[in-house]
Amino acid sequence: MAVSGVNGSSNSSGTSSSSSSSSSSIAGNFDQFLLLLTTQLKNQSPLDPMDTNQFTAQLVQFAGVEQQLKTNDTLSSLLSLSAAGTATNAVGFIGATITADGATTRLANGSASWKVNASAAGTATVTIKDANGNVVQTMTRSLSAGDQTLSWDGSTSIGTKAPDGEYSITIDGRSVAGDAITAKTQISGLVDGVDFTSSIPVLKIGGISVPIDKVKSVVRGE
């Protein structure tokens, strides 16, 4: 089990410090402004009093800025709580088997499979590549319209067995009429870690990375 890249606390503290500094600054300026107005009121000439409309407008303006800063502080706190909740939810995927959009899956013990959804029935050329992009197998398979599973036993084009690891496929399908078939692929596997270094938590299935927003289903064994 692995959890990496939980480094959001430093950014949050920096944002909080900036907001607190801004709030303290505006609060100090607001107090000075009130002191200045109070002094002016005490020393104003009875024959030429201060314009009360201008006085009220300035008070409202300063109060509005102060309120906006408090709102920003509240929003920053809510965002931090949201990020913490997302991280907690992502960790909950560890130990579960997920299905997600993707073309890369793991070959283990001579078995690998991809879920495929084809737009129509026909024949497809399936190309399997290793993690370095080298073609290890090219197969011809029949496709039916809709969902199906494409399995591979690890056999390579030269008759050897491919080592365990991550492999990806591309599917070039054609219908009986010769029209191109759209084939969407999905992968499934056991989540054994979470990476938080990007803005969206990434679930790890061995060496395969799956953004959490690509997950289609979750199954947890008993």
Side-chain angles (χ1 to χ4, degrees):
M1 180 180 74
V3 179
S4 61
V6 185
N7 57 4
S9 58
S10 60
N11 292 335
S12 297
S13 61
T15 302
S16 298
S17 298
S18 177
S19 298
S20 299
S21 177
S22 298
S23 297
S24 298
S25 177
I26 192 63
N29 289 336
F30 188 67
D31 289 341
Q32 291 178 10
F33 176 74
L34 289 179
L35 178 61
L36 176 60
L37 287 183
T38 302
T39 302
Q40 288 178 329
L41 288 173
K42 288 180 179 179
N43 296 280
Q44 66 181 334
S45 170
L47 301 177
D48 186 21
M50 177 183 291
D51 185 347
T52 56
N53 291 331
Q54 181 181 3
F55 171 68
T56 302
Q58 290 176 334
L59 283 177
V60 170
Q61 183 179 11
F62 265 79
V65 172
E66 185 178 31
Q67 183 61 44
Q68 183 62 53
L69 285 173
K70 290 181 179 180
T71 300
N72 289 345
D73 289 342
T74 302
L75 289 175
S76 296
S77 298
L78 290 175
L79 288 174
S80 296
L81 290 173
S82 178
T86 300
T88 301
N89 292 337
V91 171
F93 280 88
I94 296 177
T97 298
I98 65 169
T99 298
D101 292 333
T104 301
T105 194
R106 182 170 180 79
L107 173 70
N109 301 319
S111 178
S113 63
W114 295 262
K115 294 183 181 298
V116 179
N117 181 278
S119 60
T123 303
T125 298
V126 180
T127 303
I128 301 177
K129 298 180 181 181
D130 62 18
N132 296 318
N134 301 313
V135 176
V136 297
Q137 179 63 282
T138 301
M139 308 179 294
T140 300
R141 294 289 178 88
S142 296
L143 293 178
S144 57
D147 294 330
Q148 57 218 280
T149 299
L150 191 154
S151 300
W152 177 49
D153 62 3
S155 298
T156 68
S157 298
I158 60 175
T160 61
K161 287 291 185 179
D164 289 353
E166 284 71 47
Y167 294 85
S168 60
I169 62 169
T170 55
I171 301 175
D172 181 14
R174 296 286 169 177
S175 67
V176 176
D179 298 324
I181 295 175
T182 300
K184 297 180 180 179
T185 58
Q186 293 183 341
I187 61 173
S188 63
L190 185 69
V191 178
D192 56 13
V194 184
D195 185 356
F196 294 101
T197 55
S198 60
S199 58
I200 298 176
V202 175
L203 307 180
K204 307 294 288 187
I205 303 175
I208 301 172
S209 298
V210 180
I212 197 169
D213 60 345
K214 299 298 183 183
V215 175
K216 298 300 183 182
S217 66
V218 181
V219 177
R220 186 175 295 279
E222 297 181 358

